[in-house]
Amino acid sequence: AIIKRLDKEPDVSILRALLLSLGEYGEKEVSLEDRKGLLPKLQGIYLNDTDPGLHAAVEWLLRTWKEEAWLKQVNDEWATDKEKREKRLDGIGKALAKDKEKTPPQWYVNGQGQTFVVVPGPVEFVMGSPLTEADRLDNELQHKKRIGRTFALAATPVTKEQFLRFLPKFGHSQMGRYPEPTCPIGGVIWYEAAAYCNWLSKEEGLDKDQWCYETNIQGQVTKLKENYLSLTGYRLPTEAEMEYATRAGALTSRYYGESEELLGSYAWYTKNSGDLIQRVGTKKPNDLGLFDAQGNCFTWCQEPYDEYPGVEGDQAVEDKEAENLVVAIADSRVLRGGSFSNRASGVRSANRDNDVPTDRNINLGFRVER
């Protein structure tokens, strides 16, 4: 019945759900012959449909059906075809310029083969958690937040393979926690994550005045560049951007709902990770097309950790640049998403954590944005 509906279903959100449901069935329910017959349709959606949630749902289904070689081949082709990539970005830019409010989220692939989800701004959402949320902490004061810009967030954390292109000699005593090239890289300090962003801006051919971090003579990141939220270079996401993208419109504690019973289908955490970081994209994505937004590895965020401001009435708090641009060793930065070593209580959309930027904890990773 699901297979028959794929050709007729006009609603994108229902189609995403159908695809994610299809991946739950084994070979007895969906034979290899049926899967083979569906491949051209699925591959066509992956290549051509602009909705990032649908793109990610197909990616997850194809990966579940052992089509990773095809996925890698296609993404490698995107990465090496500069003309094709620029044409897609140009199309997204024109759509945003014509009517930003009616332009839905879209996706593109950069020169490293990383998929990005474009979120047209401005957007407003309810940040934090209600008093009734299970496992809620006092630092999750619920308030309205406004993000006044369009931003593009990577669909997955930066992987071990991707990070080693930047720092080939990177290593620490716990590298065995990331056994596969497509595992998120962990044990990365904040300064290294920021330096990767500058390196990525350079690799992508972006003007240096658009890079988001200032460095010293040794090339080490020392501060955030003034007006970094207005620059086109790669950077770490703000805490608000990360929560908005993780929620993907959901008001519940997790982007699929509330129940821990379903958490294992969407996130790697203590109950199912085997105490290891797992390959990206092996759990179901959210409706915005993000993989591993909850669990697997923490995400370093751009700004220092601080308590949420108390807001009276219905006024939205603007997501702005940090007041202090210098990245001090003693000033903790925000961490989001939880990790493979967290209990379910820490794998929630509103959950906040923090650490000093020099900490090399094995479960600290990052994803990039611009």
Side-chain angles (χ1 to χ4, degrees):
I2 292 176
I3 293 174
K4 290 180 180 179
R5 286 190 65 182
L6 292 178
D7 286 322
K8 301 177 181 179
E9 181 53 60
D11 188 285
V12 172
S13 61
I14 294 176
L15 187 53
R16 287 196 297 253
L18 290 173
L19 291 168
L20 295 177
S21 297
L22 195 57
E24 296 284 350
Y25 294 99
E27 291 180 16
K28 289 184 179 180
E29 294 84 7
V30 184
S31 68
L32 291 176
E33 184 178 352
D34 285 338
R35 295 183 184 190
K36 186 176 180 180
L38 272 177
L39 282 180
K41 178 177 179 60
L42 296 176
Q43 291 170 346
I45 294 174
Y46 185 79
L47 290 169
N48 301 312
D49 199 286
T50 60
D51 181 81
L54 191 57
H55 180 79
V58 171
E59 180 179 348
W60 175 80
L61 181 57
L62 290 174
R63 187 173 285 114
T64 302
W65 285 357
K66 312 299 182 186
E67 294 292 330
E68 288 181 310
W70 183 86
L71 289 169
K72 185 179 187 306
Q73 176 187 337
V74 168
N75 269 34
D76 287 347
E77 289 172 358
W78 273 101
T80 55
D81 192 336
K82 185 177 180 181
E83 183 179 349
K84 186 177 181 180
R85 287 189 285 106
E86 289 181 347
K87 183 178 179 181
R88 186 172 186 87
L89 271 177
D90 185 57
I92 295 173
K94 287 180 178 178
L96 289 168
K98 183 177 180 181
D99 195 341
K100 186 181 292 186
E101 292 185 2
K102 292 184 179 180
T103 301
Q106 299 187 54
W107 62 270
Y108 73 91
V109 177
N110 72 358
Q112 296 293 315
Q114 297 162 314
T115 299
F116 282 79
V117 175
V118 179
V119 179
V123 294
E124 285 190 11
F125 73 108
V126 178
M127 191 170 183
S129 61
L131 296 174
T132 55
E133 184 165 306
D135 301 312
R136 179 187 190 273
L137 299 176
D138 291 340
N139 65 352
E140 298 171 15
L141 178 67
Q142 201 168 46
H143 60 287
K144 271 193 174 181
K145 196 80 173 184
R146 181 180 186 274
I147 302 171
R149 59 192 167 275
T150 295
F151 62 95
L153 181 64
T156 71
V158 173
T159 66
K160 176 182 176 181
E161 178 181 42
Q162 291 163 354
F163 191 74
L164 291 180
R165 295 174 195 161
F166 160 61
L167 280 182
K169 295 182 180 180
F170 176 81
H172 51 74
S173 62
Q174 294 293 316
M175 288 295 285
R177 298 275 188 171
Y178 332 106
E180 301 291 336
T182 55
C183 287
I185 191 64
V188 176
I189 67 174
W190 187 95
Y191 294 103
E192 290 166 341
Y196 175 90
C197 293
N198 268 0
W199 172 84
L200 187 55
S201 293
K202 180 181 179 181
E203 291 294 301
E204 294 292 292
L206 302 178
D207 291 340
K208 196 168 185 178
D209 62 2
Q210 294 297 308
W211 300 5
C212 294
Y213 303 96
E214 294 187 13
T215 59
N216 58 21
I217 297 176
Q218 290 77 33
Q220 298 165 328
V221 171
T222 56
K223 63 187 296 186
L224 310 176
K225 193 176 288 186
E226 192 172 350
N227 298 318
Y228 60 83
L229 292 180
S230 301
L231 303 178
T232 60
Y234 289 89
R235 58 175 171 80
L236 301 175
T238 69
E239 183 177 19
E241 290 165 340
M242 199 63 217
E243 182 166 332
Y244 177 86
T246 297
R247 288 187 176 279
L251 299 177
T252 48
S253 61
R254 302 178 179 98
Y255 49 74
Y256 62 83
E258 301 280 355
S259 172
E260 183 187 343
E261 185 178 346
L262 297 175
L263 184 57
S265 295
Y266 292 86
W268 295 108
Y269 69 119
T270 50
K271 282 191 177 180
N272 65 355
S273 69
D275 205 29
L276 290 173
I277 280 188
Q278 304 289 333
R279 293 178 298 133
V280 298
T282 51
K283 293 297 182 181
K284 292 181 179 181
N286 70 6
D287 283 352
L288 200 54
L290 298 190
F291 291 98
D292 302 289
Q294 294 176 330
N296 217 4
C297 69
F298 273 106
T299 296
W300 278 117
C301 290
Q302 181 84 319
E303 68 267 55
Y305 174 83
D306 201 357
E307 297 297 325
Y308 286 153
V311 181
E312 294 184 3
D314 206 32
Q315 182 181 357
V317 179
E318 191 74 26
D319 190 34
K320 300 184 295 186
E321 278 98 353
E323 291 184 8
N324 185 4
L325 299 179
V326 176
V327 185
I329 292 175
D331 291 341
S332 291
R333 319 303 283 192
V334 178
L335 291 164
R336 279 302 192 124
S339 76
F340 72 95
S341 59
N342 281 93
R343 297 176 181 177
S345 59
V347 186
R348 295 178 296 109
S349 296
N351 189 68
R352 313 178 70 204
D353 213 324
N354 65 92
D355 212 333
V356 293
T358 53
D359 189 26
R360 198 177 291 285
N361 195 302
I362 58 173
N363 62 359
L364 304 186
F366 70 107
R367 69 177 74 211
V368 291
E369 195 206 281
R370 55 186 301 222

